Amino acid sequence: MMKASPAARSWIAAGVRYELLTRVLPALRHDMVGPVSVMRMGVLMLKRQVEAPTIDSQACNERVALIDAQVAELLDGVRLLRNWELSGTDEGIARSELVQMCVALLRPAFSLQGIQLEMDATLEEPTADTEERLPRASALRYLLLCGLNFIHDACTDECIIRIEPEGEHGLVLHTVPSLDGGVHDGMPESTVVHCAPRRLAIDAVALQNLADDLGYEVHADSEASVRVSLIERQEKA
């Protein structure tokens, strides 16, 4: 069998990134559509206020403030889409912030299939302002999403994927049995049963290929446990 060239391996990694992006796009789209819906309602209410025989300035100001807040939220969503590009420099990201963001993106889809995401308490606290910011936030986002989806795709039963810190710059992802008796965050059983299986599963080869392309260390101890380093690998001289 012919060994894959560096260019081919880069194309494989690009395909893995594309697959990950398509998996989180529904959550990104939902976060952007929400503000638009609120803005449309705010504009409708503002129009009614302006067309009224007497204009209630306070009510109008409240509507304008609401629309302004939703525009800011929408711009944050657009900015996040731009940040999915693998740029050379960015403002970096704290470890807890990275975990919270990836969990928020994946939790809705995972819950539909009875797979819950659970963070260690030290990662749930909003301590990003006091944590060290790790460079290459977009690369780290792809890396963690890939590790979580690798475990997700290997799960055959309902389980909990737990994320725990390891050292100062690492994470451990592993599964624990689910004790909820098949509860899917209030989703009807019929919804879960009819979830279409993914044809492009993230396997150990895909995970390792992406990590190598991004320049990070990952260790898949099994299909139920992954260790991720959030510091770039130092190339040997």
Side-chain angles (χ1 to χ4, degrees), residues 19 23 113 152-153 155 191-201:
E19 170 65 11
R23 294 190 184 199
Q113 301 189 35
H152 166 275
D153 290 0
C155 288
T191 303
V192 180
V193 170
H194 290 92
C195 283
R198 297 207 59 85
R199 293 183 298 109
L200 298 176

Side-chain angles (χ1 to χ4, degrees), residues 84-109:
W84 284 88
E85 300 174 5
L86 290 175
S87 57
T89 59
D90 55 42
E91 61 182 6
I93 191 168
R95 180 170 60 178
S96 64
E97 182 183 0
L98 172 68
V99 172
Q100 292 163 20
M101 180 181 296
C102 290
V103 167
L105 288 170
L106 295 176
R107 178 167 276 156

Side-chain angles (χ1 to χ4, degrees), residues 217 233-237:
E217 293 280 356
R233 181 178 58 234
Q234 298 297 320
E235 297 293 342
K236 295 181 179 180

Side-chain angles (χ1 to χ4, degrees), residues 136-166:
R136 302 185 65 203
S138 56
L140 291 176
R141 189 183 303 115
Y142 277 117
L143 185 67
L144 181 53
L145 288 173
C146 193
L148 292 170
N149 276 280
F150 164 72
I151 296 180
H152 166 275
D153 290 0
C155 288
T156 56
D157 298 310
E158 293 131 357
C159 67
I160 298 172
I161 301 177
R162 182 167 173 80
I163 309 169
E164 299 176 349
E166 183 176 57

Side-chain angles (χ1 to χ4, degrees), residues 94-104 107 117-128 131-132 134 144 148 161-174 228 230:
R95 180 170 60 178
S96 64
E97 182 183 0
L98 172 68
V99 172
Q100 292 163 20
M101 180 181 296
C102 290
V103 167
R107 178 167 276 156
L117 289 170
E118 181 180 278
M119 293 177 281
D120 186 82
T122 59
L123 298 172
E124 289 184 343
E125 299 297 326
T127 58
E131 284 185 74
E132 175 187 356
L134 304 168
L144 181 53
L148 292 170
I161 301 177
R162 182 167 173 80
I163 309 169
E164 299 176 349
E166 183 176 57
E168 294 184 1
H169 306 113
L171 292 169
V172 178
L173 322 175
H174 64 95
V228 180
L230 305 180

